């Protein structure tokens, strides 16, 4: 175990060197890397929106609108086809998912079926595994009545097509804004995720994304006064539409479309040469120019309307034929609104309305604050861990610190190499990894001390210590890795960022804290040939302890059972402080322009907006305020109107630093995903421990972990800390940490079961707990040092997360000793269950005497 061939030494330090090289661009200025060749490491990590500012918007296609438009199109096609064949019909109508028509003459029914047969022909092939997709099916429920019904397969095909078209259009619109590295990708069957980093004006982005931008040019019907049409009934083939003015002006518009926006080939924001007002100049393609020229030639003197998404932008008079295929749109534009309209027209129309169902926007100022807080927390946490490890283990502690630095470099290097995005919870994952990374070193060092105390030489103790600790290290880290992997696949957004950094940290920890440390210790032994282990300046736990943990089991079981029942009772009877991730609504963080924020004034101003329940509270600093608005009952669009109203009311006095909006659809999905993530992770870990140990160990570990989860939930209820997505990340991390601790203890119990087959189980468990007590407390202290630094200096946004983690580490340490161990007695675990092992080394009395 202590011999390293040269090629192994080379590979170990090559890995460390690459980690340092790829991590360096995140620390040093970019100018240092500009002269390097393209293959050299020069790219820093991508910062998430919560660190550099920007907008995260989740859009959903209006499925109902898509179906309605398809039915309207089908109805028009039926009319066109039957008229083309001169077939008489009546009762042409669309309802639900079907269009039906009655053929007047029974002898023409077959001809009508043949005429409409083209509508039921396959429109695609090779989709959904069925070879072809027919959007419509035609049936004859009664003689002469033909019914064309949309198929579920056809709706899915149309939805998928609309989604792809929407992604293309959104991409063109966002790119027109000049933003850098936007992320536009499909989510599920009917959603588009848009992430735009560094955006200063998220409202403009929402306005541009939210408009369908279907533009048409239609004639104004001037034969009937518009007020008469409003009060009575508009003439056939006309519709009353209103302008975008304030107040809106009504127009009677002919339904016939002269030219649609699909014929536009260019649109630019310019200025009218006569009035110097902002206008939008446009140009048609050849087909559109011909139709537009013909229509204006035939209707000189009449008004024609330019219509965008059902609203009249302007309705100028045709003074002369427009034959050049170009023109301009005026409509009381500002420079920005003219630019935005030009962007929409150039990008093209969306195939269906997109609704914002989730929004998370962070201002650049708050993002920089988060980066600064993360750096401070990381430096302080690292310093505390370094000082503690050196104080506790001396030279061996220095080896652990070197491994820890290499570990962090490799985490950052892998994140940079993968192009992963570092989020605020991701920083929390790195800081937490710093605390947990020393666990493997502590396991090894404590095992070396035990082997040395048993009379082995330094070389034998070191070799045996690393060998015997390996299995425990693997088992302990795999359980946490399982939780991280499940969190990545079942989690969303920032929670996945946390899972990525935690998973990478676990893998690099096994390498740096075992392989790299083993190489350094082996070199020290080979070169120095020490006669004794390095002195320990600080001894947290005495070398030998004999605490009667199992004697206390009845008391601890009773207290834990009572506390768990109380926590469940509180969970059922008292409402947790659920965040908007789980109950929907809006969360807005604002900062006063000058002086401290006036909470009473904000409450008074918002109370008149009819938004329902509004909570206003100070958030970390007297200048900063957190506003929570309950979920609205009127659907997804109502949630967006909340932000508009609050912004218009407060933006003159406050800067909007962070905005989060979660509609009812997304909040329900997040709640289900969070619950499933916890349950699935527990099941996966149960199976792993069952395979690695015995069923008693697996059930004991899960029950001890459930105890920790229940107690943590009770902690959220009692403290009133907001329970959100990061809280799910905290609970799953507590699950991993608690199981890590429990598995380490169980590993020692299993080893002692094989060695001392005749020892009474309570005595054997006491022996195991005392042997692992130093390691358990050392790991807990190092993790708590990192978490306390994160809690004190990491910023308000993740304070609730770290508070839950601190509680979880304390309760996890307690359960691994006072719950997990005694459960083995309850399950009647006996030495006979264990595999055959070597002959007992010492008598029961000798062990008990040392015990």
């Amino acid at each position: 175990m202590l011999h390293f061939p040269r090629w192994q030494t080379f590979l170990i330090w090559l890995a460390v060197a690459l980690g340092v090289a790829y991590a360096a661009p995140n620390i040093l200025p970019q100018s240092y890397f500009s002269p390097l060749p393209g293959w050299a490491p020069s790219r820093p990590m991508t910062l998430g929106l919560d660190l550099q500012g920007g907008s995260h918007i989740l859009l959903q296609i209006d499925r109902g609108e898509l179906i309605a438009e398809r039915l309207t199109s089908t109805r028009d096609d039926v009319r066109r086809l039957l008229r083309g064949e001169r077939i008489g019909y009546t009762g042409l109508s669309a309802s639900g998912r079907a269009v039906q028509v009655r053929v007047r003459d029974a002898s023409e029914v077959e001809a009508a079926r043949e005429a409409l047969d083209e509508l039921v022909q396959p429109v695609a092939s090779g989709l959904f595994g069925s070879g072809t997709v027919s959007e419509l099916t035609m049936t004859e429920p009664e003689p002469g009545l033909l019914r064309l019904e949309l198929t579920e397969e056809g709706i899915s095909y149309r939805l998928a097509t609309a989604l792809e078209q929407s992604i293309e259009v959104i991409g063109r619109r966002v790119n027109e804004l000049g933003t850098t590295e936007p992320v536009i990708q499909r989510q599920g069957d009917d959603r588009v995720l848009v992430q735009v980093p560094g955006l200063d004006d998220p409202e403009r982005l929402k306005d541009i994304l939210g408009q369908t931008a279907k533009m048409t040019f239609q004639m104004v019907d001037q034969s009937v006064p518009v007020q008469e049409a409003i009060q009575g009934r508009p003439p056939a083939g006309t519709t009353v539409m209103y302008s975008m003015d304030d107040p809106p002006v009504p127009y009677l518009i002919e339904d016939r479309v002269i030219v649609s926006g699909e014929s536009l080939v260019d649109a630019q924001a310019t200025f009218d040469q006569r009035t110097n007002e902002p206008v939008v100049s446009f140009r048609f393609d050849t087909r559109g120019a011909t139709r537009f020229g013909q229509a204006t030639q035939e209707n000189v003197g009449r008004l024609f309307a330019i219509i965008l998404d059902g609203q009249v932008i302007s309705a100028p008079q045709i003074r002369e034929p427009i034959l050049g295929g170009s023109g301009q749109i005026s409509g009381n534009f500002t420079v920005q609104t003219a630019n935005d309209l030009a962007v929409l027209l150039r990008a093209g129309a969306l195939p269906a309305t997109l609704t914002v169902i989730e929004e998370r926007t962070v201002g650049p100022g708050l993002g920089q604050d988060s980066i600064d807080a993360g750096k401070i927390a990381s430096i302080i946490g690292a310093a505390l861990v370094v000082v503690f490890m050196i104080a506790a283990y001396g030279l061996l502690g220095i080896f652990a610190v070197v491994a820890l630095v290499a570990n962090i470099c490799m985490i950052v290097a892998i994140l940079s190499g993968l192009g992963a995005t570092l989020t605020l919870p991701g920083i929390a994952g790195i800081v937490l990894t710093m605390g947990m990374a020393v666990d493997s070193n502590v396991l090894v060092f404590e095992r070396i001390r035990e082997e040395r105390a048993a009379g082995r030489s330094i070389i034998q103790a070191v070799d045996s210590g690393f060998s015997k600790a390996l299995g425990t290290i693997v088992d302990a880290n795999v359980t946490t890795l399982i939780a991280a992997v499940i969190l990545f696949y079942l989690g969303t957004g920032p929670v996945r960022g946390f899972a990525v950094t935690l998973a990478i940290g676990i893998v690099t920890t096994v390498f740096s804290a075992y392989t790299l440390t083993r190489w350094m210790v082996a070199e020290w032994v080979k070169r120095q040939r020490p006669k004794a282990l390095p002195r320990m300046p600080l001894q947290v736990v005495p070398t030998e302890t004999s605490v009667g943990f199992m004697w206390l089991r009845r008391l601890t079981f009773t207290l834990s059972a009572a506390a768990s029942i109380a926590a469940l009772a509180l969970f059922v009877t008292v409402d947790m402080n659920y965040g908007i991730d789980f109950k929907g609504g809006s969360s807005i963080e604002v900062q006063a322009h000058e002086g401290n924020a006036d909470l009473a004034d904000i409450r008074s101003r918002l109370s008149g907006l009819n938004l329902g329940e509004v909570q206003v509270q100070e958030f970390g600093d007297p200048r900063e305020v957190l506003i929570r608005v309950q979920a609205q009952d009127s659907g997804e669009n109502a949630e967006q109107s909340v932000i508009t109203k609050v912004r218009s009311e407060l933006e003159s006095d406050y800067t909007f630093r962070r905005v989060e909006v979660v509609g009812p659809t997304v909040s329900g999905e997040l709640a289900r995903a969070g619950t499933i993530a916890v349950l699935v992770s527990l099941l996966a870990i149960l199976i792993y421990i069952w395979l690695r140990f015995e069923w008693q160990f697996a059930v004991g570990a899960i029950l001890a972990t459930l105890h920790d989860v229940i107690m943590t939930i009770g902690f959220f209820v009692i403290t009133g800390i907001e329970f959100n997505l990061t809280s799910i990340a905290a609970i799953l991390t507590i699950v991993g940490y608690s199981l890590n601790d429990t598995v380490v203890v169980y590993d020692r119990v299993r080893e002692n079961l094989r060695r001392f087959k005749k020892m009474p189980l309570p005595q054997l468990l006491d022996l195991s707990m005392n042997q692992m007590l130093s390691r358990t407390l050392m790991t807990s202290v190092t993790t708590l040092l990192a978490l306390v630094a994160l809690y004190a200096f990491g910023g308000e946004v993740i304070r609730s997360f770290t508070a839950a983690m601190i509680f979880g580490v304390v309760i996890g340490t307690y359960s691994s000793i006072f719950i997990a161990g005694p459960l083995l007695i309850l399950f009647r675990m006996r030495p006979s269950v264990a595999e055959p092992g070597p002959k007992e080394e010492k008598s029961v009395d000798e062990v008990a005497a040392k015990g």
Side-chain angles (χ1 to χ4, degrees):
M1 291 290 289
L2 296 182
H3 174 67
F4 287 86
R6 289 184 178 179
W7 65 269
Q8 286 186 359
T9 299
F10 173 77
L11 290 179
I12 290 171
W13 286 103
L14 176 64
V16 174
L18 288 174
V20 173
Y22 277 90
N26 295 277
I27 303 172
L28 301 176
Q30 288 299 297
S31 58
Y32 286 28
F33 302 93
S34 53
L36 297 178
W39 52 264
S42 60
R43 183 177 62 176
M45 281 184 292
T46 303
L47 298 181
L49 300 183
D50 52 359
L51 293 178
Q52 65 171 316
S55 289
H56 162 112
I57 295 176
L58 186 61
L59 302 159
Q60 185 174 45
I61 289 181
D62 190 331
R63 182 186 180 97
E65 178 188 316
L66 206 65
I67 293 174
E69 287 186 357
R70 189 69 189 101
L71 286 177
T72 301
S73 173
T74 301
R75 184 188 62 192
D76 294 342
D77 287 340
V78 170
R79 181 185 294 114
R80 174 179 57 82
L81 292 170
L82 293 182
R83 285 180 177 177
E85 296 296 327
R86 300 182 180 278
I87 297 172
Y89 64 89
T90 185
L92 177 59
S93 62
S95 62
R97 291 189 178 184
V99 173
Q100 61 183 27
V101 62
R102 185 176 294 278
V103 181
R104 289 175 178 166
D105 191 342
S107 63
E108 294 183 327
V109 172
E110 190 59 34
R113 291 180 68 92
E114 292 178 2
L116 300 179
D117 188 59
E118 70 175 70
L119 299 180
V120 298
Q121 294 302 310
V123 294
S125 62
L127 292 177
F128 311 110
S130 58
T132 60
V133 173
S134 295
E135 287 191 86
L136 296 163
T137 57
M138 183 164 55
T139 58
E140 190 175 355
E142 56 183 78
L145 182 67
L146 299 180
R147 181 181 177 87
L148 293 157
E149 187 168 5
L150 290 172
T151 64
E152 190 64 38
E153 192 178 54
I155 292 173
S156 298
Y157 166 76
R158 183 67 61 172
L159 197 62
T161 303
L163 194 63
E164 293 301 321
Q165 292 175 352
S166 297
I167 291 173
E168 291 180 10
V169 172
I170 289 172
R172 290 196 292 267
R173 291 184 184 181
V174 173
N175 289 332
E176 289 280 356
L177 295 177
T179 57
T180 57
E181 299 183 358
V183 175
I184 303 165
Q185 60 189 25
R186 174 175 180 166
Q187 274 208 347
D189 296 329
D190 59 354
R191 296 176 186 176
V192 181
L193 174 65
V194 181
Q195 291 183 331
V196 184
L199 187 67
D200 294 329
D201 190 357
E203 290 302 306
R204 184 185 178 201
L205 175 65
K206 283 195 297 181
D207 290 341
I208 288 177
L209 295 181
Q211 293 191 53
T212 309
K214 289 186 177 180
M215 175 165 280
T216 57
F217 295 80
Q218 298 169 234
M219 297 306 300
V220 177
D221 189 338
Q222 297 172 276
S223 63
V224 177
V226 66
Q227 292 298 330
E228 184 178 318
I230 294 173
Q231 294 170 3
R233 186 174 181 181
T238 64
T239 304
V240 175
M241 295 185 184
Y242 292 85
S243 72
M244 295 180 174
D245 301 312
D246 187 16
V249 178
Y251 292 91
L252 187 62
I253 307 297
E254 294 182 1
D255 291 342
R256 182 175 62 92
V257 175
I258 299 172
V259 188
S260 70
E262 295 174 357
S263 297
L264 285 173
V265 293
D266 190 28
Q268 297 291 336
T270 58
F271 291 91
D272 190 297
Q273 294 181 353
R274 295 169 300 173
T275 63
N276 204 34
E277 293 180 347
V279 295
V280 177
S281 299
F282 62 86
R283 183 163 54 86
F284 289 119
D285 58 17
T286 303
R287 180 170 172 269
T290 302
R291 295 183 63 179
F292 191 66
Q294 182 181 354
T296 55
Q297 197 169 24
E298 295 172 354
N299 294 281
V300 173
R302 293 186 61 190
L303 301 178
F304 79 97
I306 304 170
I307 299 168
L308 179 69
D309 291 344
Q311 287 186 291
V312 179
I313 297 178
S314 62
Q317 185 180 35
I318 303 174
R319 301 187 184 277
E320 58 185 15
I322 304 174
L323 303 177
S326 61
Q328 68 180 31
I329 304 170
S330 59
N332 298 322
F333 294 120
T334 64
V335 173
Q336 181 170 306
T337 56
N339 272 318
D340 289 348
L341 179 58
V343 166
L344 293 172
L345 297 182
R346 286 197 301 271
L350 291 167
T353 301
L354 293 175
T355 303
V356 178
I357 60 174
E358 182 184 5
E359 175 194 353
R360 300 181 192 272
T361 298
V362 176
L366 179 60
Q368 187 59 49
D369 290 348
S370 299
I371 294 174
D372 296 340
K375 287 180 179 178
I376 293 172
S378 300
I379 292 171
I380 294 176
L384 290 174
V385 172
V386 166
V387 171
F388 180 77
M389 285 301 295
I390 295 176
Y393 289 105
L395 180 62
L396 294 180
I398 294 176
F399 293 155
V401 168
V402 173
L404 179 62
V405 172
N407 183 25
I408 295 173
C409 287
M410 285 190 285
I411 293 173
V412 174
I414 293 174
L415 288 173
S416 301
L418 293 176
T421 300
L422 180 66
T423 61
L424 201 57
I427 291 179
I430 292 176
V431 176
L432 178 62
T433 301
M434 288 166 47
M436 297 181 65
V438 296
D439 181 48
S440 296
N441 286 125
V442 171
L443 276 170
V444 172
F445 295 162
E446 291 298 318
R447 180 63 92 164
I448 291 173
R449 284 177 53 198
E450 288 181 25
E451 297 297 322
R452 179 61 175 159
R456 290 181 173 81
S457 67
I458 294 292
I459 295 179
Q460 290 174 332
V462 170
D463 187 65
S464 180
F466 277 102
S467 299
K468 293 184 177 180
L470 179 60
T472 305
I473 291 172
V474 171
D475 285 334
N477 283 281
V478 165
T479 53
T480 309
L481 184 61
I482 288 173
V485 170
I486 291 173
L487 184 60
F488 176 80
Y489 280 104
L490 298 182
T492 57
V495 176
R496 298 186 75 179
F498 173 78
V500 168
T501 53
L502 183 61
I504 292 173
I506 291 168
V507 175
T508 57
T509 292
V510 174
F511 168 79
S512 63
Y514 184 78
T515 304
L516 180 59
T517 303
R518 185 160 54 93
W519 184 92
M520 289 188 289
V521 173
E523 282 295 301
W524 168 67
V525 170
K526 184 171 67 174
R527 294 178 183 274
Q528 299 296 324
R529 299 190 179 278
K531 302 299 182 182
L533 292 175
R535 191 174 62 87
M536 297 173 58
L538 174 67
Q539 192 162 352
V540 178
V541 179
T543 305
E544 294 183 1
T545 59
S546 56
V547 181
F549 294 107
M550 296 306 108
W551 179 81
L552 296 170
R553 69 180 184 275
R554 290 181 176 83
L555 176 62
T556 56
F557 267 8
T558 303
L559 291 176
S560 295
S564 298
I565 293 171
L568 290 174
L570 286 172
F571 175 71
V572 173
T573 57
V574 179
D575 289 335
M576 288 182 70
N577 182 19
Y578 288 107
I580 63 169
D581 294 322
F582 297 126
K583 66 179 183 181
S586 306
S587 177
I588 308 162
E589 184 183 340
V590 298
Q591 184 181 62
H593 291 166
E594 296 180 359
N596 294 336
D598 188 340
L599 273 63
D601 177 62
I602 293 175
R603 290 191 187 99
S604 174
R605 292 164 70 175
L606 297 184
S607 62
L609 300 180
N610 297 320
L611 302 177
E613 182 185 351
V614 178
Q615 298 177 7
V616 180
Q617 65 185 61
E618 187 178 299
F619 192 65
D621 185 277
R623 294 182 58 200
E624 298 173 4
V625 177
L626 182 64
I627 303 167
R628 291 193 185 97
V629 183
Q630 72 171 54
Q632 306 298 297
D633 297 328
S634 305
E636 310 288 352
N637 289 326
E639 301 293 345
Q640 290 300 312
S641 67
V642 167
I643 303 301
T644 303
K645 291 179 181 178
V646 174
R647 189 179 290 274
S648 62
E649 183 67 35
L650 299 179
E651 66 182 348
S652 59
D653 301 316
Y654 294 88
T655 300
F656 281 67
R657 291 163 61 84
R658 178 167 58 95
V659 174
E660 295 186 1
V661 182
V662 179
T665 303
V666 174
S667 62
E669 293 173 356
L670 292 176
R672 287 193 297 273
T675 304
I676 292 172
V678 174
L679 295 177
V680 171
S681 63
L682 286 176
L683 178 61
I685 293 167
L686 171 67
I687 294 172
Y688 175 79
I689 296 176
W690 198 319
L691 293 174
R692 287 287 294 144
F693 292 82
E694 299 288 344
W695 72 265
Q696 292 96 331
F697 289 105
V699 176
I702 293 302
L703 288 179
T705 305
L706 282 175
H707 164 271
D708 299 342
V709 171
I710 292 170
M711 295 299 291
T712 305
I713 290 174
F715 172 78
F716 276 103
V717 176
I718 293 172
T719 59
I721 292 175
E722 182 178 302
F723 191 83
N724 50 32
L725 274 181
T726 57
S727 304
I728 292 291
I731 287 179
L732 275 169
T733 309
I734 290 168
V735 166
Y737 180 87
S738 176
L739 280 165
N740 181 303
D741 214 4
T742 301
V743 167
V744 169
V745 172
Y746 274 179
D747 190 81
R748 180 56 63 94
V749 172
R750 180 177 60 175
E751 180 182 333
N752 286 335
L753 282 170
R754 295 170 179 172
R755 290 177 59 194
F756 308 111
K757 297 180 181 179
K758 298 179 181 179
M759 181 180 290
L761 189 56
Q763 187 177 339
L764 185 141
L765 290 172
D766 271 341
L767 172 66
S768 302
M769 300 302 168
N770 280 283
Q771 288 175 336
M772 300 306 297
L773 185 60
S774 179
R775 171 264 156 199
T776 300
L777 294 181
M778 292 285 288
T779 300
S780 298
V781 169
T782 52
T783 307
L784 286 172
L785 287 174
L787 287 173
V788 167
L790 192 62
Y791 179 83
F793 304 101
E796 191 68 30
V797 176
I798 57 172
R799 188 155 290 163
S800 61
F801 170 85
T802 49
M805 278 300 307
I806 290 171
F807 177 83
V809 169
V810 174
I811 203 70
T813 303
Y814 163 84
S815 68
S816 65
I817 296 174
F818 292 103
I819 303 297
L823 280 173
L824 297 179
I825 301 176
L826 187 65
F827 295 149
R828 301 184 182 278
M829 166 65 79
R830 287 290 181 265
S832 58
V833 177
E835 299 174 9
K839 187 177 180 180
E840 259 185 74
E841 298 175 9
K842 297 182 181 180
S843 69
V844 175
D845 293 335
E846 288 175 329
V847 175
K850 278 195 170 186

